[in-house]
Every structure is written in structure tokens, then in C-alpha cells.
């Protein structure tokens, strides 16, 4: 800018306004040309019509020349009309695809068993159609199927085509057939027909004898609304099966409860044995003391029945009846069927002849393991109890949510 001369700056200042003015003139002329379709001033304006099937157009124009000022004029432009040859060609072209247009859900016009789709105007060509049925009791002039029919019947659909002042009439053959049926519906229809025929044959008899079989299948009838007692045997069998399953589940639950009780009492049993043996008693004497204390407490009502103590008492009574100690302890472990009791019975049997010198130390170790097992069992029982409480907690949460949301929703309504 600093290197430009005074003339160049004046030229630059005049160039930009000149370009703006020239551009506006060119833009005006282009728009005017597009609007008037290139006609010279004073000539008629050409307005393109809608093609066949189109609608009317309304154009608002300003006319110059009738007076000193421009006058507004509203012009209605109708769509393009067919010539005679064009109309005939359009009529036959429309009829070539007419079956595909009107058959609806039917396979063809020779197998009609549902409504037809009779159009009144073709959107593409603008041709109007007026329909008339030769048998309105089968197919109405609107294309509605009036069936069902028992056998195939034929009729004609007449269609009047019009495009402006050009008209033509055509006839389309239609064959109405009985409705398509599934296998089950066909069997039901065949049975109804068989019953109808027997009713006709037996109309003079006091009773109507129903068909005993259909297509090789034996038939059994009952009045609708009557109680069907055929379900009773099935319900009885189902109830018996459920009772058996319930009994098995109860037995499993009782066994599980017994095993859990045995595990909980194992530490107490080992502890008592260790105390009595430490006091100088023999294994048999300690066993007898534990059994008699349990029976006395249970008799006085201070002790409930415990599985481990019951097994100890049974083993003691075996010893009283002359069963060898080794055999009695071994059967004690087998009846309990748990690994700690099997181990205890094995320890008692092994140390029976060796004396109680080392047995107390062995029982001490076993007692420590027993208490550890008891703690693990208690922890597991707590987790199971917590899991069982989840369902009631969720139910309570759902009830609380309903109680909170219901008034809010009612107030919104």
C-alpha cells in the first residue's frame, strides 16, 4: 500500500464499487432471464404444465401493458392432457399390470379367497378407475370378499378407465375359491360335514349317532362346559410323584442337618474325652461317663436330643452287651460317616491296647483341628443364613418403593 502511487490508489477505490454495481446488474439479468424463460419483453410467458397425473398449478403474475401500472393476475394451469393415442396406450399399459395391482393377498385372480385391492386412481398416470362386479354377493364393487364359498365360482369385474375426455371399458375374469385351510381346519370341516350328513340320514330317529371315527382315528365327544374328569388320574400321579420327591428332599435335608449337628458336637466330644482321660479314666470309662451324663440330662429335660450323643449312647450299650471295644468304636465311626468321627474311632481303636499315655496328646491335636473346623462351619452357616435373607430383603425393598412411588404417580395423574 505504501509503494502505490496516487493514481493507483484512486483506481483501486473506484474499481471495487464498479465491480459491485456490475455484479448486481448481471445477477438481476440472470434472475429475470430465469423467471421469464428467455422471452423478449412484451411476449407471452410460458409456464410448464404438470405431467400426466399431476395436479393443477396456481400462479400469481404481474402484467404490464393493460394500464399505467402492473396488474396482478392469478392463472390456473391444469396438468397435461392425453391425446387419443396416448390415452389408449396408457389404458392398455395400465391393464397389463392390473392383476398384480388388485389381487391383494391372493395368489392370482383365479384363486381369490380374500379381499381385492381395487384402486380408484393410478398415481403415476392419473387415470381414474370405476369398478363394478357381476356378482356382488361374491365380490363387491369395492373388492370386498363376501365368502366363504363351498365350491369355486366365476365372475367378472368391469373397470371403466377415464383420462380427461378419453374413456375405455375392460372386463377382468375372477374365480372365487373356498378359503385355504390348515390341516387342523380341514379335519374340523370334514368332521362337521360328516356330522351334517349323518344328521340328514338320521333325521327320523330319536337320537343322532355321532361318527365314532374320522380318517382312521377314534373320536370321543363331551358337551362343552362339562367337567373333564380325565385329568384326575394324571393329577393323582403327579401328586404321588411330588410326594416322593418331597420325601426324598426331606430325607436329604434331615441327613444334612444331622451331619451339620455331628460336626458342631465333635469338638465337645473330643474335649470331654480328653478331660476324662486326663483325669485317669480309661477310654471305656470316659465313654460310659459321657453317655450316662447325656442320658441323665435328657431325662431331666436339661438336654435336647443330639446326634453325636445318641451315637455315643448306642456305642456304650453295645459295650454293655458284650461287643468288643474295637468293634464298637469302629461301628461308631461308620454310623457317623464323617471323616472326623472315622479318624476318632481309628485313634481309639489303635490306642486301646497301648494305653492312654499318648492318647491325651493326640486328642489335644485333634481338639485344635475340631475347633478350627467348627469355626469354619459356623462361618459357612452364617453366609448361608445371609443368602436366605436376601429374598425377604428384596421383597421389603420392592414394597417400600411401591409405597413411595404410588402416591407420586397418583398425584401426577
Amino acid at each position: 500500500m505504501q509503494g502505490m502511487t496516487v493514481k493507483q490508489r484512486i483506481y483501486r477505490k473506484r474499481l471495487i464499487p464498479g465491480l459491485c454495481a456490475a455484479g448486481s446488474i448481471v445477477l438481476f439479468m440472470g434472475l429475470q432471464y430465469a423467471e421469464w424463460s428467455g422471452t423478449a419483453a412484451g411476449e407471452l410467458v410460458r409456464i410448464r404444465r404438470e405431467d400426466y397425473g399431476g395436479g393443477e398449478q396456481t400462479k400469481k403474475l404481474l402484467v404490464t401493458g393493460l394500464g399505467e401500472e402492473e396488474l396482478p393476475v392469478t392463472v390456473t394451469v391444469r396438468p397435461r392432457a392425453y391425446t387419443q393415442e396416448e390415452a389408449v396406450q396408457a389404458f392398455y399399459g395400465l391393464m397389463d399390470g392390473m392383476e398384480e395391482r388388485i389381487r391383494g393377498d391372493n395368489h392370482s385372480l383365479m384363486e381369490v379367497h380374500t379381499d381385492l385391492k381395487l384402486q380408484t386412481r393410478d398415481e403415476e398416470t392419473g387415470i381414474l378407475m370405476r369398478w363394478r362386479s357381476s356378482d356382488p354377493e361374491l365380490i363387491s364393487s369395492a373388492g370386498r370378499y363376501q365368502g366363504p364359498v363351498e365350491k369355486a365360482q366365476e365372475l367378472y369385474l368391469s373397470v371403466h378407465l377415464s383420462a380427461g375426455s378419453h374413456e375405455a371399458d375392460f372386463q377382468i375374469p375372477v374365480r372365487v375359491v373356498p378359503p385355504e385351510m390348515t390341516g387342523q381346519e380341514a379335519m374340523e370341516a370334514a368332521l362337521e360335514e360328516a356330522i351334517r350328513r349323518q344328521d340328514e340320514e338320521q333325521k327320523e330317529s330319536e337320537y343322532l349317532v355321532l361318527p365314532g371315527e374320522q380318517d382312521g382315528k377314534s373320536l370321543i365327544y363331551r358337551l362343552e362346559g362339562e367337567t373333564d374328569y380325565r385329568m384326575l388320574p394324571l393329577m393323582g400321579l403327579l401328586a404321588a410323584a411330588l410326594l416322593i420327591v418331597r420325601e426324598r428332599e426331606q430325607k436329604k435335608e434331615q441327613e444334612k442337618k444331622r451331619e451339620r449337628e455331628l460336626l458342631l458336637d465333635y469338638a465337645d466330644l473330643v474335649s470331654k474325652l480328653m478331660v476324662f482321660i486326663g483325669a485317669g479314666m480309661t477310654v471305656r470309662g470316659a465313654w460310659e461317663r459321657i453317655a450316662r451324663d447325656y442320658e441323665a440330662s435328657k431325662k431331666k429335660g436339661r438336654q435336647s436330643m443330639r446326634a453325636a450323643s445318641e451315637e455315643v449312647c448306642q456305642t456304650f450299650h453295645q459295650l454293655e452287651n458284650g461287643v468288643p471295644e474295637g468293634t464298637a468304636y469302629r461301628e461308631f465311626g461308620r454310623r457317623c460317616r464323617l471323616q472326623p468321627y472315622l479318624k476318632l474311632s481309628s485313634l481309639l481303636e489303635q490306642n486301646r491296647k497301648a494305653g492312654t499315655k499318648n492318647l491325651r496328646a493326640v486328642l489335644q491335636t485333634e481338639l485344635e483341628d475340631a475347633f478350627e473346623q467348627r469355626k469354619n462351619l459356623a462361618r459357612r452357616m452364617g453366609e448361608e443364613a445371609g443368602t436366605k435373607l436376601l429374598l425377604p430383603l428384596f421383597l421389603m425393598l420392592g414394597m417400600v418403593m411401591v409405597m413411595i412411588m404410588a402416591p407420586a404417580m397418583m398425584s401426577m395423574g
Side-chain angles (χ1 to χ4, degrees):
M1 292 289 293
Q2 294 178 355
M4 295 178 60
T5 63
V6 176
K7 290 184 178 181
Q8 289 175 334
R9 285 198 295 270
I10 295 174
Y11 175 75
R12 182 182 180 86
K13 289 180 179 180
R14 294 178 179 177
L15 176 63
I16 295 175
L19 290 175
C20 291
S24 63
I25 295 173
V26 172
L27 180 61
F28 166 76
M29 294 178 64
L31 293 175
Q32 190 72 17
Y33 176 81
E35 182 178 354
W36 293 92
S37 301
T39 57
E43 294 185 2
L44 292 177
V45 177
R46 295 187 301 172
I47 302 177
R48 182 179 295 276
R49 298 179 182 273
E50 290 282 343
D51 209 344
Y52 308 119
E56 290 185 349
Q57 301 179 73
T58 301
K59 299 288 185 180
K60 293 183 178 181
L61 306 178
L62 294 175
V63 181
T64 302
L66 292 178
E68 295 180 357
E69 298 180 355
E70 290 182 327
L71 300 177
V73 176
T74 300
V75 178
T76 301
V77 184
R78 292 182 295 178
R80 185 179 178 186
Y82 286 96
T83 64
Q84 179 65 32
E85 294 181 355
E86 290 173 339
V88 171
Q89 185 177 0
F91 290 157
Y92 280 97
L94 182 62
M95 291 304 299
D96 285 342
M98 187 60 74
E99 179 174 355
E100 185 71 22
R101 293 169 178 267
I102 69 173
R103 72 182 184 186
D105 296 330
N106 301 286
H107 296 301
S108 70
L109 293 181
M110 293 292 102
E111 299 178 9
V112 174
H113 53 81
T114 60
D115 292 346
L116 299 176
K117 294 183 178 180
L118 302 184
Q119 301 173 335
T120 57
R121 184 178 186 274
D122 181 57
E123 297 296 333
E124 184 179 352
T125 61
I127 296 176
L128 302 178
M129 293 171 275
R130 189 170 66 250
W131 298 89
R132 185 170 58 85
S133 172
S134 63
D135 193 343
E137 294 183 358
L138 294 178
I139 299 291
S140 70
S141 297
R144 186 172 297 279
Y145 175 69
Q146 310 286 52
V149 296
E150 296 182 357
K151 60 180 180 179
Q153 300 185 46
E154 295 183 355
L155 57 95
Y156 286 94
L157 285 177
S158 300
V159 56
H160 177 78
L161 304 182
S162 61
S165 59
H166 309 290
E167 299 178 346
D169 292 299
F170 296 88
Q171 280 191 337
I172 304 173
V174 177
R175 184 170 177 266
V176 180
V177 298
E180 294 182 346
M181 293 187 292
T182 63
Q184 182 67 25
E185 293 172 340
M187 287 190 292
E188 293 175 2
L191 177 60
E192 292 176 357
E193 178 62 22
I195 293 175
R196 189 191 64 77
R197 287 198 303 268
Q198 289 206 197
D199 181 51
E200 181 65 25
E201 294 172 359
Q202 302 171 14
K203 61 183 178 181
E204 298 178 356
S205 301
E206 185 177 357
Y207 296 98
L208 169 61
V209 179
L210 299 173
E213 62 177 27
Q214 178 78 11
D215 297 331
K217 299 178 181 179
S218 299
L219 304 179
I220 300 175
Y221 302 89
R222 69 181 182 91
L223 292 175
E224 187 176 358
E226 284 188 341
T227 305
D228 188 2
Y229 297 105
R230 290 177 295 177
M231 292 296 294
L232 287 179
L234 181 60
M235 293 175 64
L237 293 174
L238 181 60
L242 291 176
L243 287 174
I244 293 173
V245 173
R246 179 173 175 270
E247 184 178 353
R248 290 179 179 176
E249 291 298 323
Q250 286 181 343
K251 186 176 180 181
K252 289 181 181 179
E253 187 64 28
Q254 290 175 357
E255 291 178 354
K256 185 178 179 181
K257 182 179 178 182
R258 179 178 178 274
E259 290 179 358
R260 182 171 293 177
E261 191 175 291
L262 286 170
L263 291 173
L264 288 172
D265 292 346
Y266 180 67
D268 292 336
L269 176 59
V270 175
S271 177
K272 290 177 181 179
L273 282 173
M274 190 179 69
V275 170
F276 290 139
I277 292 173
M281 298 178 66
T282 62
V283 174
R284 178 167 180 164
W287 203 271
E288 179 180 355
R289 180 66 180 273
I290 294 171
R292 290 192 183 280
D293 288 348
Y294 169 72
E295 289 180 341
S297 299
K298 189 174 67 170
K299 187 175 182 180
K300 293 178 181 180
R302 296 198 303 263
Q303 176 68 54
S304 61
M305 185 177 293
R306 304 293 294 180
S309 299
E310 291 293 328
E311 295 297 339
V312 170
C313 291
Q314 184 175 348
T315 302
F316 168 64
H317 293 312
Q318 286 180 330
L319 293 174
E320 282 188 322
N321 293 329
V323 177
E325 277 192 69
T327 303
Y329 297 146
R330 189 163 53 250
E331 290 183 0
F332 168 75
R334 290 175 180 173
R335 288 196 304 272
C336 293
R337 293 180 301 176
L338 295 176
Q339 191 273 336
Y341 285 90
L342 292 171
K343 184 178 180 181
L344 177 62
S345 65
S346 177
L347 290 174
L348 295 177
E349 186 179 0
Q350 290 174 5
N351 289 275
R352 182 175 54 85
K353 295 181 180 180
T356 59
K357 182 178 181 181
N358 297 323
L359 181 58
R360 191 171 185 277
V362 174
L363 289 177
Q364 178 65 36
T365 304
E366 186 65 20
L367 180 61
E368 294 175 359
D369 294 340
F371 276 117
E372 190 65 29
Q373 291 177 3
R374 186 170 181 174
K375 285 194 297 183
N376 294 334
L377 178 61
R379 188 182 301 112
R380 189 163 61 250
M381 291 173 63
E383 292 174 354
E384 291 178 358
T387 303
K388 291 180 180 179
L389 287 174
L390 286 178
L391 179 60
L393 288 175
F394 278 120
L395 291 176
M396 293 177 63
L397 177 61
M399 293 176 62
V400 171
M401 293 179 65
V402 171
M403 294 171 62
I404 294 174
M405 296 176 63
M409 295 179 67
M410 293 175 64
S411 63
M412 290 175 62

